[in-house]
Amino acid sequence: MTDLVVRRLLIDLDTPFPARWNGGDAFRSAFFNALSQSFPSGEQYFIDAVRDGLKALPEAKRASLSAEVHGFIGQEATHRRIHALFNANLERLGFDNAIERWTEDRRKEHRGDDLRNKVAATAATEHFTAIFADWVLRHPEALAGAEPRLRTLWQWHCAEESEHRNTAFDMYQALGGNQVWRIKVFKYVSSVFLYDVLRQTLRNLWHDKALLRWSTWRSGWKLWFAKDGMVRSNYPLWKAYMAADFHPSQQPAALSQSWLRDNADRYTVVGRAA
Ligand SMILES: [Fe+2]
Ligand SMILES: [Fe+2]
């Protein structure tokens, strides 16, 4: 079990920031913006799935997972609040949040699905965020030149995603979810999530008048496909999810706790799982 702490981030999100807040780099900004645009609705879905999962568990299992689930919910609720503020700034800059509409439409189609599949979709997406989070913490150049308050926002979110990477997966197992559906849902989530993030990134670049520039795609290639880039270097970690004996705790996450320790002055602890 993980002792999950809820933290309030001490940063200013009232002061506006420019579209290319990430070091003036159009691609890196558009991509991180697309992720942020997906978060408030996605994180609400995760909260609902694990909360419903907890209610569905028999008493003994519920007691053993309760504290961790409440910590998870507290962390995701804080993330969605902060990213809603971040996204409000993007909206003022004229960026259209289409990814939220796409994902909500898709969720309506899957409203009647078995609860275990909703938890499986949460665990699958959390695998993506955990891989992304650890990679960002290991590669500060992904946020090179970003305003310090925004770099702090992303690194804090990454540290907590790494920290709570086990929760949805453990809930899926506690609910008796099987391997076949875990992997089937993971493949589905992988394709739609990447497709949606890509489409939203392209829309953001179009709005920023940067879609058809060489410099944009040079940066995109470097971020995703360089030797140690996000896509290329994380492929083995992504694939590991399909192993029968996979558990998220097997994945690297060492930088999460050191970031939280070294940056304790950037947040206050508002809740601790009891
Ligand atoms: Fe989150
Ligand atoms: Fe998460």
Side-chain angles (χ1 to χ4, degrees):
M1 205 196 91
T2 318
D3 183 21
L4 297 175
V5 167
V6 181
R7 305 171 181 90
R8 180 182 298 133
L9 197 56
L10 304 172
I11 60 161
D12 157 39
L13 276 175
D14 294 331
T15 307
F17 55 84
R20 297 186 192 175
W21 58 269
N22 197 348
D25 186 296
F27 189 89
R28 284 194 283 126
S29 303
F31 171 63
F32 277 78
N33 288 346
L35 292 173
S36 180
Q37 286 163 316
S38 80
F39 289 152
S41 133
E43 290 172 321
Q44 187 60 52
Y45 181 87
F46 307 157
I47 289 170
D48 294 342
V50 295
R51 184 185 279 141
D52 290 348
L54 190 66
K55 281 188 208 148
L57 287 178
E59 186 60 41
K61 280 188 181 172
R62 197 185 311 149
S64 75
L65 276 177
S66 175
E68 181 172 340
V69 165
H70 285 109
F72 175 92
I73 290 172
Q75 290 191 346
E76 293 292 27
T78 315
H79 301 167
R80 64 185 300 280
R81 214 167 27 242
I82 294 273
H83 280 277
L85 293 172
F86 185 93
N87 294 348
N89 185 90
L90 297 180
E91 224 174 289
R92 284 193 292 273
L93 292 168
F95 288 96
D96 176 40
N97 188 344
I99 194 167
E100 190 165 274
R101 294 195 296 277
W102 300 329
T103 46
E104 282 182 358
D105 286 349
R106 199 173 292 117
R107 277 173 202 141
K108 272 182 208 146
E109 284 168 33
H110 289 273
R111 203 168 20 206
D113 285 6
D114 190 293
L115 172 61
R116 283 169 297 190
N117 281 348
K118 293 179 184 170
V119 176
T122 302
T125 319
E126 287 283 285
H127 181 56
F128 269 95
T129 53
I131 289 175
F132 169 78
D134 186 65
W135 187 89
V136 169
L137 291 174
R138 274 186 288 120
H139 295 83
E141 68 272 18
L143 292 163
E147 280 190 44
R149 63 190 168 123
L150 301 177
R151 189 185 315 123
T152 299
L153 182 162
W154 283 96
Q155 290 176 333
W156 157 79
H157 193 167
C158 286
E160 293 199 340
E161 286 305 321
S162 262
E163 190 181 35
H164 72 219
R165 69 196 185 286
N166 297 336
T167 311
F169 192 94
D170 288 345
M171 176 60 72
Y172 182 70
Q173 291 195 317
L175 288 165
N178 67 35
Q179 301 285 357
V180 173
W181 276 97
R182 176 171 74 77
I183 291 165
K184 206 184 268 194
V185 171
F186 178 63
K187 286 180 179 167
Y188 172 75
V189 165
S190 294
S191 59
V192 296
F193 180 67
L194 293 177
Y195 178 54
D196 285 352
V197 169
L198 179 63
R199 285 195 289 168
Q200 183 66 50
T201 301
L202 296 177
R203 288 173 75 103
N204 291 348
L205 287 169
W206 178 256
H207 179 70
D208 190 29
K209 300 187 172 47
L211 183 64
L212 304 176
R213 289 176 191 271
W214 276 113
S215 57
T216 298
W217 293 101
R218 248 197 324 269
S219 168
W221 181 266
K222 196 169 152 214
L223 183 72
W224 284 351
F225 301 115
K227 193 157 172 276
D228 203 24
M230 190 180 288
V231 174
R232 204 166 142 193
S233 71
N234 282 325
Y235 177 72
L237 294 177
W238 171 82
K239 208 172 159 208
Y241 194 88
M242 288 186 268
D245 61 349
F246 172 82
H247 189 271
S249 60
Q250 299 156 352
Q251 301 245 309
L255 287 180
S256 160
Q257 292 308 308
S258 59
W259 189 91
L260 291 167
R261 209 173 38 243
D262 296 346
N263 294 276
D265 58 334
R266 316 267 178 103
Y267 59 80
T268 54
V269 173
V270 292
R272 190 176 287 275

